[in-house]
Amino acid sequence: MTSVEVWRQFLMPGMWDLRLNLLLFLVGLGLTIQMVMERRKPVWERKISGMEVAFSLTALLLFYMAEGSPIKVIGHELFSFHMVEMSMLYLVLPPFILLGVPKKSWRSLWNRGGTRLVMQMGTHPIISLILFHAFLSLYHVPLIFEQVMAVPLLHASAHLILLLTAMLMWWPIICPISELDRLSEIQKVGYIFAASVLLTPACALIIFSQHLLFPSYMGSSVFADVVALDDQQLGGVLMKVIQEIAYGSALGYVFFSWARKERARDRKEESLRQKNVRRDPYPKM
């Protein structure tokens, strides 16, 4: 089967998880209805904003593409598709979840005594960086990888841990609660650079390995007639490329936020200056 025929799998209804599609559609519909109802309330009484709903719907779509589309099915036989699935779940999805959850919900969670200490520790920049990249690298140790893939409960638990640690890793960059934002913009740039460096060794090991690392992907695939080693190396390349796109977008987000804060500060200073001029139109020389 050629690579063109692989992509034809996306046109086959049986390759899509229709039950998950229905579930996420209902959730998205509920969010949309809630947004319409909230818009009838005063701004200070609204529990969710239009932008938060948009980010939530995008998060639902990304999750479905990773877990309900042919990407997941093909990922059981082609390592490259497995790495695309992992990249979507842990490098692309978390920022949309953080921005999609209402800020009031994050503040409520933060104000609970039982979760505040956990969130303070887990979202510390150094801890969050180490946790996510350590778990992601550990997950792809061949022996551990094979054990996790063989046991459904372990597989589901590993994915949950990776998603949670990925959200912690993204928190210092996105930080949906402005008053809890620990890093300055220049520190966020350094943080993103450090995250990119930490993921590089795992990707490099997969890309440049001259032998197959994962027994689960040593056999032939019904989806494509490819050399297993080439597929493995392609998987490492795809994860690195998606990572660079995701982190590059994060840099753009940081610079945009930085510029917006600078403009707001300039407007505030200009407003104060004009007030002072009106108050004393003839300043003493």
Side-chain angles (χ1 to χ4, degrees):
M1 186 178 290
T2 65
S3 58
V4 174
E5 291 175 309
V6 170
W7 294 110
R8 286 178 182 170
Q9 303 301 313
F10 287 80
L11 302 178
M12 299 176 61
M15 296 291 286
W16 297 82
D17 190 334
L18 299 182
R19 290 178 296 180
L20 182 61
N21 186 20
L22 177 60
L23 174 62
L24 296 184
F25 172 79
L26 292 175
V27 173
L29 181 62
L31 288 171
T32 304
I33 293 173
Q34 183 181 4
M35 180 190 66
V36 173
M37 296 177 65
E38 291 289 326
R39 292 182 67 86
R40 299 177 181 177
K41 301 178 182 179
V43 175
W44 59 87
E45 292 184 4
R46 295 176 184 175
K47 297 180 180 179
I48 189 169
S49 68
M51 285 301 297
E52 288 167 346
V53 170
F55 283 121
S56 295
L57 294 177
T58 304
L60 290 175
L61 178 61
L62 287 169
F63 180 79
Y64 182 71
M65 288 304 298
E67 292 295 291
S69 78
I71 291 175
K72 183 175 182 64
V73 179
I74 301 173
H76 288 299
E77 295 190 14
L78 292 179
F79 185 76
S80 54
F81 276 77
H82 164 77
M83 294 300 271
V84 169
E85 176 192 353
M86 298 286 289
S87 300
M88 291 178 65
L89 287 175
Y90 310 126
L91 300 177
V92 181
L93 175 63
F96 291 96
I97 297 178
L98 292 175
L99 293 170
V101 173
K103 292 180 174 60
K104 291 183 178 181
S105 298
W106 285 124
R107 288 192 175 94
S108 176
L109 188 62
W110 181 270
N111 291 329
R112 293 180 183 176
T115 58
R116 175 177 293 185
L117 180 60
V118 175
M119 290 183 69
Q120 282 180 328
M121 293 180 60
T123 59
H124 188 281
I126 296 177
I127 294 176
S128 60
L129 268 179
I130 294 174
L131 273 179
F132 172 67
H133 292 95
F135 275 113
L136 187 63
S137 298
L138 193 64
Y139 178 86
H140 286 101
V141 171
L143 181 61
I144 297 176
F145 183 87
E146 294 301 318
Q147 293 295 323
V148 169
M149 293 290 285
V151 182
L153 181 59
L154 281 178
H155 192 220
S157 300
H159 275 274
L160 178 60
I161 292 172
L162 283 169
L163 181 58
L164 291 176
T165 55
M167 290 176 62
L168 293 177
M169 190 275 293
W170 278 97
W171 180 282
I173 302 173
I174 303 299
C175 197
I177 308 177
S178 57
E179 58 268 27
L180 301 178
D181 199 351
R182 302 182 183 185
L183 302 181
S184 66
E185 278 69 23
I186 192 64
Q187 288 174 327
K188 289 181 180 180
V189 171
Y191 181 91
I192 294 170
F193 177 76
S196 178
V197 171
L198 286 174
L199 190 61
T200 299
C203 291
L205 177 64
I206 295 172
I207 294 171
F208 297 108
S209 176
Q210 296 302 311
H211 61 276
L212 293 173
L213 300 174
F214 309 102
S216 296
Y217 292 97
M218 289 183 179
S220 60
S221 170
V222 299
F223 297 110
D225 184 17
V226 296
V227 177
L229 183 59
D230 292 342
D231 178 53
Q232 176 180 287
Q233 293 173 340
L234 176 60
V237 170
L238 288 173
M239 172 165 271
K240 188 59 180 174
V241 169
I242 295 173
Q243 177 227 11
E244 294 297 335
I245 294 173
Y247 290 177
S249 301
L251 283 174
Y253 174 85
V254 169
F255 282 118
F256 175 79
S257 300
W258 195 349
R260 185 176 55 189
K261 289 179 182 178
E262 289 297 318
R263 286 196 297 268
R265 188 177 67 177
D266 291 343
R267 285 195 296 267
K268 184 177 180 180
E269 291 177 353
E270 179 65 19
S271 177
L272 290 174
R273 189 185 65 80
Q274 291 178 359
K275 286 181 180 178
N276 291 333
V277 170
R278 286 195 297 268
R279 191 176 300 160
D280 188 8
Y282 303 106
K284 296 179 181 179
M285 299 301 293

